[in-house]
Amino acid sequence: MYGSKASFSVCLAFATALATVAFAQMPPQEPGSKSFKLGSFDIVALHDAQFVRPNDNKIFGVGRSPEDVADVLKAAGAPADTITLSVDALLVKQPKRLILIDTGVGGALLQSLAQAGFKPEDVTDVLITHSHPDHMGGLVKDGKLAFPKATIRMSSPEWTFAKKNDQLADVVKAIDGHVKTFEPGAQVITGITSVGLKGHTPGHVGYEMASGKEKLFDIGDTVHSSIISLARPDWPLGFDSDAAVGEETRIETLKKLAGSKELIFAPHFPFPGVGHIQSDGDHFKWVPAS
Ligand SMILES: [Zn+2]
């Protein structure tokens, strides 16, 4: 489904100064929205951007060779010289709230939101998994709050971390005064509970939502590539603040999800990023929801 989309190469060094440059140079992205029901909640996966990274061992397969990574990609039938990541967000409509989980990098998210039938001022709450620019960058548009009526919620350690990040200074300045923090593990909104997922950033969380008997877990950046993160969850990831803890969390979380067979949303898996983790020998594979 991405055949028609403009794909492009950009350094996805999200935690660095390059991020700002990459955003400014980002070509137009195509919107996309996919709606489904979760108990009484209406959920919409929203597409923001598509990144194609070179297979250069800087982020995936750190300490390995491009050939090692190419073998994993080829085994999955994917091109061996690039790694494609989607950037997506999740919208949750409850009777009295419209909740956006993550805001993308400032690509096509607002167009995707419009495609789903909503305006930015309809959003009552923005929940942030972590403070990398591909999750927080869409909070601000032209120096102003992109979701002017929303309370921005993130974990307390993550907000502390964001305020120390010079690259986020403009975003932090714009959202300061609109942020409410919580401790990882706390219920953030009725039906949505945060889950601490250590290693990627100091206060990285996922969000578990439940309505009636149905559940969906937004696992944030516990995984990135639907191929490499699942085939080789033990490989250190260049994006993680603490690679060893990130690896531990990734393997532990994938084992749990393969056991529980619960529905998950992964913001960087192929759009809409909704599906299940399955055990596959000593590793895992992605099963998109039908
Ligand atoms: Zn990310």
Side-chain angles (χ1 to χ4, degrees):
M1 74 186 292
Y2 282 114
S4 62
K5 295 206 173 202
S7 70
F8 58 99
S9 248
V10 65
C11 179
L12 199 71
F14 282 148
T16 75
L18 286 173
T20 318
V21 178
F23 303 166
Q25 294 171 347
M26 187 166 61
Q29 298 286 308
E30 287 188 30
S33 60
K34 177 90 185 157
S35 310
F36 58 100
K37 274 271 190 196
L38 185 84
S40 66
F41 300 168
D42 291 301
I43 312 269
V44 191
L46 299 171
H47 185 56
D48 180 61
Q50 181 92 331
F51 287 95
V52 181
R53 275 201 55 83
N55 170 13
D56 60 6
N57 302 111
K58 285 188 180 144
I59 302 296
F60 294 99
V62 175
R64 306 276 160 168
S65 68
E67 290 73 28
D68 291 339
V69 176
D71 286 345
V72 172
L73 293 167
K74 274 189 262 176
D81 54 345
T82 55
I83 297 145
T84 300
L85 301 181
S86 194
V87 178
D88 302 315
L90 204 61
L91 191 71
V92 183
K93 189 173 185 311
Q94 297 182 346
K96 290 186 176 163
R97 292 183 194 258
L98 186 65
I99 303 141
L100 178 64
I101 306 182
D102 286 334
T103 65
V105 72
L109 188 81
L110 294 177
Q111 289 163 267
S112 300
L113 186 69
Q115 195 179 80
F118 299 100
K119 294 193 280 292
E121 51 271 32
D122 297 336
V123 176
T124 58
D125 304 83
V126 175
L127 275 48
I128 297 292
T129 59
H130 65 292
S131 63
H132 282 167
D134 56 317
H135 299 259
M136 251 177 78
L139 278 171
V140 176
K141 189 169 165 48
D142 303 327
K144 294 199 182 110
L145 292 171
F147 308 97
K149 300 204 174 141
T151 301
I152 298 160
R153 302 176 190 273
M154 73 180 87
S155 82
S156 165
E158 197 62 17
W159 181 227
T160 303
F161 178 61
K163 284 187 284 188
K164 285 189 266 184
N165 183 350
D166 290 344
Q167 316 307 334
L168 283 175
D170 290 348
V171 175
V172 165
K173 195 174 157 209
I175 67 172
D176 203 3
H178 300 266
V179 176
K180 276 203 172 149
T181 61
F182 56 83
E183 291 310 313
Q187 176 174 285
V188 179
I189 280 174
T190 307
I192 305 183
T193 302
S194 64
V195 178
L197 295 165
K198 291 192 171 135
H200 187 56
T201 57
H204 178 234
V205 298
Y207 293 102
E208 178 92 68
M209 55 213 89
S211 177
K213 283 185 181 157
E214 294 193 53
K215 277 184 175 182
L216 173 68
F217 186 21
D218 181 332
I219 62 170
D221 277 14
T222 307
V223 287
H224 289 77
S225 157
S226 61
I227 299 169
I228 302 164
S229 304
L230 302 191
R232 296 309 305 257
D234 55 320
W235 281 359
L237 182 83
F239 290 143
D240 286 348
S241 301
D242 186 327
V245 175
E247 175 189 324
E248 208 175 286
T249 299
R250 190 162 46 251
I251 293 172
E252 203 178 281
T253 306
L254 290 170
K255 275 186 189 160
K256 192 179 136 251
L257 294 173
S260 68
K261 299 183 168 59
E262 69 184 279
L263 191 65
I264 70 158
F265 171 73
H268 296 307
F269 279 12
F271 183 77
V274 179
H276 302 269
I277 301 294
Q278 205 172 75
S279 285
D280 186 16
D282 61 351
H283 49 270
F284 305 93
K285 71 176 183 193
W286 178 234
V287 183
S290 51

